[in-house]
Amino acid sequence: MVAFLMAAGSVIQPVGGEEMRLGAHQRDGVPEGFGIIDEKCVACHNRQRIEDAMRKRRDMEKIRKRMEEKGVALTESERSVLSHFWRQNPFRE
């Protein structure tokens, strides 16, 4: 987890062309990806199921798209944060 938090400060290029530091995308020192998962995903899935999918290196972008087709509403910012969060995968074994 420490390595993930350190990597969260890396710069990415979002769709709008403006750089953002994901280190700033934290609430109380916790990566914002966890907050988005808790807010948008845990309504239908338990956190363990999501973490298991990440540990097994499932295609989280494909899963996200499928969930959006089923009705979850994500902003472009939430998609960007989740995309980076999943690439960093804090649950790597």
Side-chain angles (χ1 to χ4, degrees), residues 62-74:
K62 184 177 178 181
I63 291 170
R64 178 197 48 84
K65 288 176 187 174
R66 192 170 62 235
M67 294 303 101
E68 285 188 285
E69 289 171 3
K70 291 183 177 202
V72 71
L74 296 172

Side-chain angles (χ1 to χ4, degrees), residues 29-87:
V30 176
E32 192 173 2
F34 285 117
I36 295 168
I37 288 170
D38 287 342
E39 182 180 328
K40 303 287 183 152
C41 307
V42 176
C44 297
H45 307 288
N46 65 42
R47 189 97 173 284
Q48 185 63 46
R49 180 176 181 177
I50 298 161
E51 291 175 9
D52 286 346
M54 291 177 70
R55 277 188 191 92
K56 293 176 182 174
R57 299 177 186 252
R58 303 268 192 225
D59 185 342
M60 298 305 289
E61 292 297 328
K62 184 177 178 181
I63 291 170
R64 178 197 48 84
K65 288 176 187 174
R66 192 170 62 235
M67 294 303 101
E68 285 188 285
E69 289 171 3
K70 291 183 177 202
V72 71
L74 296 172
T75 67
E76 194 59 41
S77 176
E78 289 168 333
R79 282 187 206 100
S80 179
V81 169
L82 286 174
S83 180
H84 182 77
F85 179 73
W86 289 328
R87 279 193 307 272

